[in-house]
Amino acid sequence: MSPLNPLNDPSVLYLRAVLGARLARLRSREERGRGASAIEWAIITAILALIAITIGAVIQKKITEKADSIKTG
């Protein structure tokens, strides 16, 4: 895991894989004209929000760890 890239965090990678699989299933539907239902859009939105919150938490953790390691004399 690269300390400079929070997108390489295992939880973020897992969420990206789950979302990618879900999007692949949605794209492969033969009934493309039907579109996604409101529930599907709610699930997709929740997943994207979870990814954003996770990335924000990882970035905040890294910044806090780095700030705590700086000696201020």
Side-chain angles (χ1 to χ4, degrees):
M1 180 171 73
S2 171
L4 300 178
N5 189 355
L7 296 178
N8 286 336
D9 187 67
S11 59
V12 174
L13 292 175
Y14 174 75
L15 290 173
R16 288 174 57 193
V18 169
L19 180 62
R22 176 71 177 146
L23 289 175
R25 280 192 305 245
L26 288 173
R27 288 182 184 138
S28 69
R29 286 190 175 175
E30 295 185 15
E31 300 177 23
R32 289 181 185 244
R34 193 180 92 181
S37 69
I39 293 173
E40 289 171 326
W41 282 115
I43 292 170
I44 291 169
T45 303
I47 290 171
L48 291 175
L50 184 59
I51 290 171
I53 290 168
T54 302
I55 290 172
V58 169
I59 290 171
Q60 181 180 4
K61 179 182 173 193
K62 297 292 181 185
I63 290 172
T64 302
E65 287 175 355
K66 189 64 176 175
D68 290 343
S69 72
I70 297 173
K71 298 191 186 318
T72 58

